Amino acid sequence: MEESFSVSATPPAPDQGGRHRSIFAKSKHPVILKFEDVVYKINTETSNYKCVTEIRKKLKSKKGGSSSNSDSEREILKGLSGAVVPGEMLAMMGPSGSGKTTLLTALGGRMSGGGHVSGSITYNGRPLSNGMRRNMGFVTQDDVLYPHLTVTETLVYTALLRLPKSLSKQEKVSQAEAVMGELGLNTCRNSIIGGPMLRGVSGGERKRVSIGQEMLINPSLLFLDEPTSGLDSTTAQRIVSTLWELSKGGRTVVMTIHQPSSRLFYMFHKLLLLSDGNPVYFGKGSEALDYFARIGYVPAVPMNPADFLLDLANGVLSDDTLDNRIAIKEALVTAYKSHVQNRVRDEGREVTSHFKQEEPETNQWTTSWWEQFKVLLERGIKERRHESFSGLKIAQVLVVAVVSGILWWQSGAHVQDQVGLLFFISGFWGFFPVFQAIFTFPQERMMLTKERSSRMYRLSSYFMSRVVGDLPMELILPTGFITIVYWMSGLKPTAANYFTTLSVLLLSVLVAQGIGLAIGALIMNLKSAATLGSVIMLTFMLAGGYYVQNVPVFISWIRYVSMSFYSFKLLVASQYSATDTYGCNPMATCKVADIRSVDLVGFSHRSAAIMAMFAMLFAYRFIAYLALMRIGVTR
C-alpha cells in the first residue's frame, strides 16, 4: 500500500480554485463561543477525590466544624461565564487544580467521567452538534501521536481522514504540505515523532505537529491545553505567535496556560483568571492589572504580570498564612461578583444577538467508510510493524520452536508423547496471542478517544482495519513455529496432515486473539486485563481434556466454552483417526482412541468443533467492538 500517497520535496502550489489556502487565511465559518454559569460537580465518594474529601473533613474537625452532606460532592467549576468572538484569543490562567483544563474540556465537548456539567455552553447560539464538532480543533496537553510515523506521514494521514471527500488525494497531501511549511516543520518532515523510549523530534516540533493536525481542517474554533508546557521561552513565543496569527483570520482560539512570560501575556486578547474553580477576572488581558489595582491589589515590586496574577489567585501576598490566603481569595471572588460578573453576562448577550449563522457542516462523515478503512489500515501497518516483527518477539517464538523440536525430536513412534506435544502447541498458541492482543486497545485508548471525539472516522472502520491489519502479522509467526516443530518432532510427514494442522493452529490463534481483544477492550487496564486473561486461559487449559480426565459433572460444562478443548480436539484429529494404532508395549498394539486424553476429546463431532471455533472467532471480536463503543462518540 505504499503507493497510497506521495510527498513531494517542496509544497505544491495552490490550484486555480484556491483550495489550498494558507493556514492563516480567513475562517469560512466564524464561531462565537459563549458559556454562562458553568458548574461542574463530581462525586468524591466514587472518585480519586475521596482522599481529598477525607483531608478536608479532618481539617474541619480540627477547627471545631462539622462535616455536611455536601462533602460527598465537590464543585470543580463554580459558575463560570464568558464569551469569545472570532478574532480573539482567550487565555485561561490559574494555579494548578484551579479548574482550567476541566473548563477547557467542558467547552470542547469532551467531558467524560462521573461528573455533571450544568449551565449553558453555546456555539453561535446553539448547542454542540456533530457538524460543529468537526469544525473545531482540540490540542491536548500531552501530544497524542504515533511514535513510529514521520511528521509527514502523521499530517498526511490526518489530512486523508479529516479533509472532505470533495478534495482529491493529492489535494489533501498538498494541504498537509502547506501546513508543514507554515508551521516550520519542513526541516523535520522525514523524522519520526518518537516517544519516551524512542528518539524523535523535539518537544516544540511535537507540539507544532499536534497543532498542525487540527489546522488541517481550517477550524473556526481551536482549543489548546497548555500549548507551551515544557517548552523554552523562544519556542513558546513562536507557538503563541502562530496562534495569534490564526486568530487574526477570524478564528476563535481558547487555551489554558500556566505561567506565561510577560511577552506572551500581552498577546492575549482576553484573560480568564481562576482560583479554586471561581472566576476572579474576565476581560482584556491588557486591563487586568488596572482592575486589580482599583480593588486594592498592586505588585510590591516590578514583576511579570502573570506571576502577580497567579500569586493573587493563590491568595499569596506579603502575609502567607493560611487564614490570610483564604481571606484574599474570598475578597477576590466578592469583587468579581460586584464589579465584573454583570458586565460579562451583558457582553455575552450582546455578542450573541449580533451573530447568527447556520450549521457549518451536515452530520455526514467527511470521507466514506472504505476510504477510512484503507487509510487506517495503511497507517496501522506502518505504525505496528516495528512491534509485531520485533527481534525479541521473533527470537522468543523461534527459541520455543527449536527447544520443542529438540525435546520431541522424531517422536513419531511415541504417540503419547506426540499427544502431549499437540496439547503444548494448543496451550502455547492460546496464551501467546491473548497476551499480545490484550495490549491493543488500552495502548491506543488515548488516540482513539482523541480521533473519535473529532469524528475523524467510524468506529467500525477503525475496528475492521485493526482486525484485517493484524492478520498477516499475527499469522506469520505461528506458521513459522509449526513448520519448525512439525518436521523436527516427526509428526505425520504428509502435506495433507501438515496443512490440516497448520489450519487448525491458525484458527486457534485467531480465536485466542479475539479473547485478548475482548478482555483488553472491556478492562482497559493492563494489569487487571493481564490478570483476567491468565485466569481465563488457565481455566480453559485445565478444562481442555489433557490434565484432568475425570472432571466433576457440575463443572464439566467449561470444556464446551473452552477454546483449548476444541483446539486440542482438532489438532489430535489432524494427526490421527479412530482406527489408528500404536505399539503400546513390545507384544501388543493399542488404538490411539484408547489413550485417556484422546478418548476424552474424541474423534466425533469435528464439524461441531470447527463451528464452535468460528463462533468464538466472531463472538469475541463482537464483544470487543461493543466495549469500544464507550470510547469517544458512539456512532
Side-chain angles (χ1 to χ4, degrees):
M1 302 185 69
E2 298 290 11
E3 74 279 7
S4 293
F5 67 85
S6 59
V7 179
S8 56
T10 58
D15 61 5
Q16 292 181 351
R19 279 173 153 168
H20 310 307
R21 299 187 183 94
S22 162
I23 63 172
F24 302 117
K26 201 166 186 63
S27 172
K28 292 184 294 184
H29 302 287
V31 175
I32 286 183
L33 172 65
K34 179 186 173 185
F35 52 101
E36 189 169 358
D37 296 327
V38 174
V39 175
Y40 178 65
K41 296 180 180 180
I42 190 167
N43 189 340
T44 58
E45 297 298 326
T46 58
S47 71
N48 293 332
Y49 290 105
K50 189 170 183 178
C51 59
V52 178
T53 305
E54 296 300 325
I55 294 174
R56 292 171 66 198
K57 287 180 180 179
K58 290 180 181 178
L59 289 173
K60 283 186 177 182
S61 63
K62 286 182 179 179
K63 291 182 177 182
S66 60
S67 60
S68 64
N69 293 333
S70 62
D71 286 332
S72 63
E73 194 173 51
R74 183 185 176 194
E75 267 192 347
I76 308 299
L77 303 178
K78 305 172 182 178
L80 302 175
S81 300
V84 199
V85 301
E88 288 184 338
M89 182 166 61
L90 167 65
M92 298 189 291
M93 286 179 53
S96 298
S98 61
K100 304 186 299 294
T101 298
T102 303
L103 177 58
L104 189 80
T105 306
L107 296 179
R110 301 197 175 200
M111 189 65 73
S112 60
H116 173 68
V117 180
S118 60
S120 171
I121 302 175
T122 59
Y123 312 81
N124 289 344
R126 301 179 181 86
L128 182 62
S129 64
N130 290 335
M132 184 62 70
R133 191 186 295 274
R134 282 194 296 270
N135 200 42
M136 67 169 62
F138 197 106
V139 181
T140 58
Q141 181 176 354
D142 298 321
D143 301 311
V144 183
L145 303 167
Y146 283 115
H148 291 99
L149 297 183
T150 65
V151 170
T152 300
E153 290 170 343
T154 299
L155 291 174
V156 167
Y157 284 130
T158 303
L160 293 176
L161 288 168
R162 298 192 71 177
L163 293 180
K165 51 189 172 186
S166 59
L167 297 178
S168 69
K169 185 176 298 182
Q170 191 55 46
E171 287 171 336
K172 294 180 180 181
V173 173
S174 300
Q175 186 69 11
E177 293 277 5
V179 168
M180 279 193 292
E182 300 205 38
L183 290 178
L185 294 170
N186 278 329
T187 57
C188 62
R189 56 183 293 120
N190 295 319
S191 301
I192 62 171
I193 298 296
M197 305 298 292
L198 182 67
R199 185 176 179 83
V201 297
S202 68
E205 289 166 338
R206 284 172 61 91
K207 184 60 67 178
R208 276 180 277 155
V209 171
S210 295
I211 295 174
Q213 284 187 304
E214 304 304 320
M215 293 315 304
L216 280 167
I217 61 169
N218 189 20
S220 300
L221 179 58
L222 181 61
F223 296 98
L224 305 101
D225 190 11
E226 300 276 5
T228 62
S229 177
L231 303 180
D232 61 83
S233 59
T234 303
T235 304
Q237 171 76 20
R238 181 171 185 176
I239 287 176
V240 176
S241 297
T242 301
L243 298 173
W244 188 83
E245 290 287 341
L246 291 171
S247 68
K248 284 177 62 179
R251 294 175 185 82
T252 305
V253 179
V254 181
M255 73 173 76
T256 64
I257 194 162
H258 183 62
Q259 201 163 6
S261 65
S262 56
R263 287 191 303 172
L264 299 185
F265 179 82
Y266 286 109
M267 296 178 71
F268 303 137
H269 300 104
K270 284 185 177 177
L271 174 70
L272 172 59
L273 183 63
L274 299 174
S275 176
D276 294 337
N278 291 295
V280 293
Y281 179 76
F282 185 89
K284 294 181 179 180
S286 58
E287 298 177 359
L289 292 183
D290 292 338
Y291 164 76
F292 286 108
R294 289 197 302 271
I295 62 174
Y297 299 99
V298 181
V301 295
M303 61 191 302
N304 179 357
D307 292 339
F308 173 68
L309 295 180
L310 285 175
D311 285 345
L312 271 182
N314 273 310
V316 176
L317 286 177
S318 56
D319 184 3
D320 194 19
T321 63
L322 177 61
D323 290 339
N324 190 58
R325 290 201 301 269
I326 294 174
I328 292 174
K329 291 179 181 180
E330 291 176 348
L332 291 173
V333 172
T334 302
Y336 176 88
K337 292 178 179 178
S338 301
H339 303 291
V340 181
Q341 184 169 272
N342 290 334
R343 172 181 60 80
V344 171
R345 289 177 176 173
D346 292 340
E347 288 178 356
R349 297 188 190 100
E350 182 179 351
V351 296
T352 304
S353 64
H354 285 81
F355 197 92
K356 302 292 182 183
Q357 184 166 323
E358 298 299 322
E359 281 285 311
E361 297 237 3
T362 65
N363 288 334
Q364 296 177 353
W365 297 92
T366 55
T367 53
S368 66
W369 188 96
W370 179 246
E371 186 66 26
Q372 293 170 6
F373 171 78
K374 289 193 298 182
V375 174
L376 290 169
L377 178 61
E378 181 179 343
R379 187 182 71 171
I381 290 175
K382 279 196 172 184
E383 170 61 26
R384 298 193 304 278
R385 62 187 176 185
H386 306 279
E387 178 184 349
S388 297
F389 294 117
S390 66
L392 181 62
K393 186 181 293 186
I394 294 173
Q396 179 183 359
V397 172
L398 290 178
V399 168
V400 174
V402 172
V403 171
S404 301
I406 293 173
L407 289 174
W408 276 278
W409 176 261
Q410 299 301 314
S411 58
H414 306 283
V415 175
Q416 290 186 338
D417 285 351
Q418 289 206 330
V419 170
L421 170 62
L422 296 175
F423 188 78
F424 168 75
I425 293 172
S426 171
F428 179 75
W429 286 107
F431 270 91
F432 192 81
V434 165
F435 284 94
Q436 297 300 315
I438 275 178
F439 293 89
T440 299
F441 296 126
Q443 287 179 336
E444 290 208 350
R445 180 175 187 173
M446 292 180 65
M447 180 66 74
L448 186 58
T449 301
K450 168 191 169 183
E451 295 183 336
R452 291 275 295 141
S453 296
S454 299
R455 297 192 65 80
M456 284 178 63
Y457 46 74
R458 300 166 177 84
L459 179 60
S460 56
S461 60
Y462 165 81
F463 188 80
M464 288 304 299
S465 72
R466 283 307 311 250
V467 171
V468 175
D470 286 342
L471 286 179
M473 294 186 278
E474 295 297 332
L475 298 183
I476 288 176
L477 288 179
T479 300
F481 175 92
I482 199 65
T483 301
I484 295 172
V485 173
Y486 195 93
W487 304 108
M488 288 182 68
S489 61
L491 293 171
K492 285 190 176 180
T494 66
N497 291 105
Y498 167 75
F499 284 109
T500 303
T501 304
L502 175 61
S503 300
V504 172
L505 178 62
L506 295 183
L507 178 59
S508 175
V509 168
L510 292 177
V511 173
Q513 183 193 35
I515 294 175
L517 292 175
I519 294 173
L522 286 168
I523 305 300
M524 280 296 176
N525 179 286
L526 290 179
K527 185 178 291 186
S528 301
T531 302
L532 180 60
S534 299
V535 172
I536 290 175
M537 293 310 299
L538 283 172
T539 303
F540 284 174
M541 183 177 291
L542 290 174
Y546 185 80
Y547 292 120
V548 183
Q549 282 87 45
N550 299 306
V551 180
V553 176
F554 68 89
I555 204 173
S556 60
W557 58 268
I558 293 180
R559 75 178 66 171
Y560 299 111
V561 296
S562 166
M563 63 154 287
S564 299
F565 174 79
Y566 295 113
S567 175
F568 180 46
K569 178 185 181 72
L570 293 174
L571 283 174
V572 170
S574 72
Q575 290 294 307
Y576 308 105
S577 67
T579 59
D580 284 351
T581 60
Y582 69 101
C584 52
N585 61 63
M587 303 299 296
T589 59
C590 302
K591 285 186 176 183
V592 173
D594 292 336
I595 299 175
R596 183 58 180 153
S597 56
V598 176
D599 179 57
L600 190 66
V601 297
F603 289 100
S604 60
H605 306 297
R606 280 177 286 182
S607 298
I610 295 173
M611 292 176 61
M613 291 287 278
F614 274 103
M616 288 189 282
L617 172 69
F618 293 106
Y620 285 124
R621 282 167 172 76
F622 184 64
I623 292 172
Y625 179 80
L626 292 179
L628 287 180
M629 292 178 69
R630 302 171 299 168
I631 300 177
V633 290
T634 58
R635 289 191 289 149

